[in-house]
């Protein structure tokens, strides 16, 4: 079908974002801790970063394009952000959505006072809500889906901030982990299915036990904090300026559906997600892959960095030596979404290089976490052959990615997904491998510590592999009916 997702620009590249969020309250050096925490979450978004702080009277914000270190390493930057409460955000989006006005935390002066919000996830009915709000006179400042939350809170008639936020979130579909700051304190909350992660912790003794929220546990590690627990799916936690913590469950109880791709690719391997160390899950995925699709070769070679833990698991399970047959340059940015295929391909070549002496004359199996468009796999298979490998097999630590994610993981539009266009054998031909196999969905579930997938009520969100979207996708259905009215200003309709 020839459609452009309503959150895509005319080239089909998305304006949705991948993000990491961090917040701390009642800490002497809240902005500095936030900068450190965001640094540990940099892998969740490298294009822009922002921090907002509150000193009991005023809010202060600083945002910039680029990495955390480029924007927040100097003491002057932190000095601009005084106060005992701060929240920050790192984001990745494609060119069209990357302007400063979309950099979070978003901030607004509401009738009740300042309101800052940092959001990880994607609101899948943002365009519908936005067009309703615009129809009622709302003036939007950004093209970020998150801004609808601010307008919904601003226009809610409930008396308290928590009630207004809950009122707003009841209208919102999709995935959201949020950190909100108001003059009354901090609110952290996770959507009813808990699609995107959010954890709670405390700063160590020197931080006086200040309360911290972060996308991943690794952000707690870097500030010397302690993990308390996950913010539970559908839970809203309010922390007052007096340190009082209140947990609410305004959305009732639902079966959680955390994103399984956090385990496969997105989270850092040293984070704990959904009760399991991500590194251990990735290794177990590799072991399971070796059991399901063994390969008679001389070497197991990871596609670095994302394929490394799975390749270790594959090697240990199969008894085949693990070798770094590809070396990755750490000084090249993301190759995944670039404006054009040729930019992407040269990006892959600059990023990975064959360790020729190792692979020459060897039969190898390459392990990567996923195949999306097939750009990386094709280039790497070719690179291994040019380096003299006698056989090049490919094993993938996730099932075929055949569907778009509408919940905050960047995937290109569906027509660009290799697995949406072809079965495994044509994919093998496309990437020019001697054999190709993907882990089964049940194998993936078991490897991440779950039972086999319960198809009536899956334990994870695995929509990118199965197409089983756990929420309604109002904007998509609406787009089919009335595309023109649902397109962000300045972006072409399909
Ligand atoms: P592709 O070249 O389009 O097939 O992309 C596959 C490569 O992109 C793999 O090496 C993955 O590690 C990586 N990858 C998969 N999903 C994502 C994502 N959401 N963001 C960035 N990189 C990704």
């Amino acid at each position: 079908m020839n459609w452009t997702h309503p959150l895509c620009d005319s080239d089909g590249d998305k304006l949705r974002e991948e993000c990491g969020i961090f917040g701390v309250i009642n800490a002497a050096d809240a902005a500095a801790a936030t900068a450190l925490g965001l640094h540990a979450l940099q892998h969740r978004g490298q294009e822009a970063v922002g921090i907002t702080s509150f000193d009991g009277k005023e809010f202060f914000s600083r945002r910039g394009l680029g990495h955390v270190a480029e924007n927040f390493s100097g003491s002057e930057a932190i000095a601009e952000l005084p106060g005992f409460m701060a929240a920050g955000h790192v984001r990745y989006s494609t060119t069209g959505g990357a302007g400063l006005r979309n950099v979070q935390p978003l901030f607004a002066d509401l009738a009740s006072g300042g309101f800052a919000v940092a959001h990880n996830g994607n609101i899948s009915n943002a365009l519908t809500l936005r067009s309703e709000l615009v129809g009622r006179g709302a003036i939007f400042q950004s093209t970020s889906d998150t801004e609808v939350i601010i307008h919904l809170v601003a226009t809610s008639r409930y008396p308290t901030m928590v009630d207004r936020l809950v009122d707003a979130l009841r209208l919102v579909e999709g995935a959201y982990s949020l950190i909100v700051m108001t003059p009354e304190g901090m609110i952290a909350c996770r959507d009813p299915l808990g699609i995107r992660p959010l954890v709670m912790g405390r700063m160590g003794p020197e931080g006086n036990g200040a309360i911290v929220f972060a996308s991943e546990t690794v952000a707690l590690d870097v500030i010397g904090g302690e993990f308390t627990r996950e913010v539970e799916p559908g839970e809203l936690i309010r922390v007052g300026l007096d340190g009082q913590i209140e947990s609410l469950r305004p959305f009732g109880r639902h079966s959680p559906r955390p994103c399984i791709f956090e385990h496969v690719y997105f989270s850092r391997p040293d984070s704990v997600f959904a009760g399991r160390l991500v590194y251990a899950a990735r290794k177990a995925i590799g072991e399971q892959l070796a059991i399901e699709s063994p390969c008679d070769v001389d070497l197991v070679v990871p596609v670095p960095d994302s394929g490394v833990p799975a390749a270790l698991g594959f090697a240990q399970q199969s008894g085949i030596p693990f070798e770094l047959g590809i070396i990755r340059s750490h000084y090249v940015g993301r190759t995944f979404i670039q404006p054009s295929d040729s930019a992407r391909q040269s990006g892959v070549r600059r990023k990975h290089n064959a360790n020729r002496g190792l692979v020459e004359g060897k039969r190898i199996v390459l392990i990567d976490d996923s195949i999306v468009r097939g750009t990386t796999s094709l280039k790497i298979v070719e690179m291994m052959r040019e380096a003299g490998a006698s056989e090049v097999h490919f094993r993938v630590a996730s099932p075929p990615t055949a569907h778009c994610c509408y919940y905050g993981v960047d995937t290109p539009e569906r027509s660009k997904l290799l697995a949406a266009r072809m079965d495994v054998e044509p994919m093998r031909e496309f990437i020019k491998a001697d054999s190709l196999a993907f882990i089964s969905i049940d194998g993936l579930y078991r490897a991440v510590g779950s039972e086999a997938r319960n198809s009536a009520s899956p334990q994870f969100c695995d929509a990118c592999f199965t197409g089983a979207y756990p929420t309604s996708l109002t904007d998509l259905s609406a787009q089919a009916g009335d595309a023109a009215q649902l397109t962000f200003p300045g972006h072409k309709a399909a």
Side-chain angles (χ1 to χ4, degrees):
M1 188 165 70
N2 182 20
W3 55 264
T4 303
H5 181 264
L7 293 178
C8 291
D9 66 17
S10 49
D11 296 330
D13 274 334
K14 291 191 295 49
L15 306 179
R16 282 169 289 162
E17 311 154 3
E18 291 178 347
C19 311
I21 57 176
F22 184 96
V24 58
I25 173 165
N26 296 332
D29 43 6
T34 303
L36 269 179
L38 291 178
H39 198 264
L41 298 174
Q42 187 77 81
H43 59 287
R44 300 185 73 88
Q46 298 95 45
E47 282 201 355
V49 54
I51 298 180
T52 300
S53 70
F54 179 66
D55 68 356
K57 287 201 190 100
E58 273 185 77
F59 287 86
F60 305 85
S61 288
R62 192 184 152 102
R63 308 146 171 212
L65 298 178
H67 289 191
V68 180
E70 285 154 19
N71 287 282
F72 289 102
S73 52
S75 49
E76 305 99 77
I78 299 298
E80 280 179 28
L81 298 163
F84 55 85
M85 175 164 78
H89 188 268
V90 285
R91 77 190 275 263
Y92 173 80
S93 84
T94 53
T95 41
L100 259 186
R101 65 189 179 142
N102 286 333
V103 179
Q104 297 192 25
L106 297 184
F107 179 81
D109 267 314
L110 307 185
S112 53
F115 181 95
V117 57
H119 168 210
N120 174 205
N122 185 63
I123 298 172
S124 54
N125 63 340
L127 289 163
T128 307
L129 291 172
R130 182 183 167 113
S131 89
E132 283 166 17
L133 286 158
V134 169
R136 285 195 265 135
I139 298 167
F140 276 74
Q141 304 287 322
S142 74
T143 54
S144 160
D145 58 327
T146 309
E147 197 181 342
V148 298
I149 295 177
I150 295 186
H151 289 276
L152 291 171
V153 169
T155 48
S156 168
R157 290 168 184 250
Y158 278 86
T160 69
M161 178 47 73
V162 165
D163 287 342
R164 282 198 288 279
L165 182 61
V166 171
D167 188 33
L169 293 177
R170 280 193 210 288
L171 298 172
V172 159
E173 286 169 6
Y176 52 86
S177 286
L178 299 178
I179 298 176
V180 169
M181 291 197 298
T182 74
E184 293 157 16
M186 183 166 275
I187 301 171
C189 104
R190 218 168 149 197
D191 65 73
L193 303 179
I195 297 176
R196 299 258 70 83
L198 190 62
V199 298
M200 180 179 180
R202 278 182 191 275
M203 279 178 81
E206 281 166 32
N208 265 341
I211 302 293
V212 182
F213 297 99
S215 295
E216 293 184 34
T217 58
V218 67
L220 301 174
D221 297 343
V222 299
I223 57 158
E226 271 170 31
F227 172 72
T228 310
R229 63 181 181 84
E230 289 201 10
V231 176
E232 287 177 17
E235 186 184 22
L236 184 148
I237 301 179
R238 195 185 83 85
V239 187
L241 300 184
D242 56 3
Q244 286 268 344
I245 302 175
E246 188 186 4
S247 160
L248 303 168
R249 300 212 152 257
F251 310 111
R253 302 230 176 215
H254 299 256
S255 301
R257 299 282 291 273
C259 165
I260 204 161
F261 200 64
E262 291 280 346
H263 268 315
V264 170
Y265 171 83
F266 207 36
S267 286
R268 244 172 74 156
D270 44 348
S271 281
V272 175
F273 173 63
R276 184 129 159 89
L277 178 66
V278 173
Y279 179 81
R282 287 188 190 158
K283 254 185 97 176
I285 294 173
E287 286 162 18
Q288 179 66 26
L289 192 52
I291 294 168
E292 290 182 8
S293 304
C295 201
D296 181 17
V297 289
D298 306 312
L299 298 178
V300 175
V301 173
V303 178
D305 291 327
S306 49
V308 172
L312 265 175
F314 194 100
Q316 286 176 8
Q317 175 64 38
S318 57
I320 302 169
F322 167 98
E323 292 290 358
L324 296 180
I326 303 165
I327 303 300
R328 176 184 162 181
S329 162
H330 286 271
Y331 306 100
V332 179
R334 279 173 69 153
T335 52
F336 182 64
I337 294 191
Q338 296 269 1
S340 70
D341 276 347
S342 62
R344 209 162 21 244
Q345 282 166 16
S346 72
V348 172
R349 275 194 298 271
R350 278 181 290 131
K351 188 162 167 180
H352 294 116
N353 190 35
N355 199 351
R356 188 172 286 272
L358 259 182
V359 298
E360 205 160 13
K362 297 286 191 331
R363 297 170 305 154
I364 65 167
V365 60
L366 293 167
I367 314 282
D368 202 359
D369 66 283
S370 56
I371 292 182
V372 182
R373 293 180 178 81
T375 319
T376 310
S377 357
L378 169 61
K379 282 289 137 200
I380 284 188
V381 170
E382 283 178 337
M383 187 185 289
M384 292 293 101
R385 291 203 197 281
E386 279 163 21
S390 58
E391 286 177 29
V392 183
H393 301 264
F394 212 105
R395 296 290 178 270
V396 187
S398 59
T401 304
H403 304 270
C404 295
C405 176
Y406 299 116
Y407 303 121
V409 170
D410 235 334
T411 41
E413 66 170 288
R414 192 154 187 236
S415 64
K416 290 186 178 165
L417 297 174
L418 201 60
R421 295 197 277 128
M422 47 182 92
D423 291 331
V424 175
E425 177 52 21
M427 284 176 90
R428 181 198 67 73
E429 278 174 33
F430 179 91
I431 67 164
K432 301 186 180 160
D434 291 300
S435 74
L436 170 66
F438 294 80
I439 193 170
S440 67
I441 188 82
D442 283 339
L444 174 61
Y445 268 63
R446 287 204 192 87
V448 302
S450 175
E451 306 278 301
R453 182 177 192 267
N454 174 351
S455 53
S457 172
Q459 305 90 308
F460 284 92
C461 176
D462 54 19
C464 51
F465 307 129
T466 61
Y469 292 99
T471 70
S472 12
L473 295 170
T474 299
D475 285 351
L476 271 191
S477 346
Q479 161 101 355
D482 192 357
Q485 287 187 20
L486 285 171
T487 305
F488 275 156
H491 299 287
K492 252 202 284 171

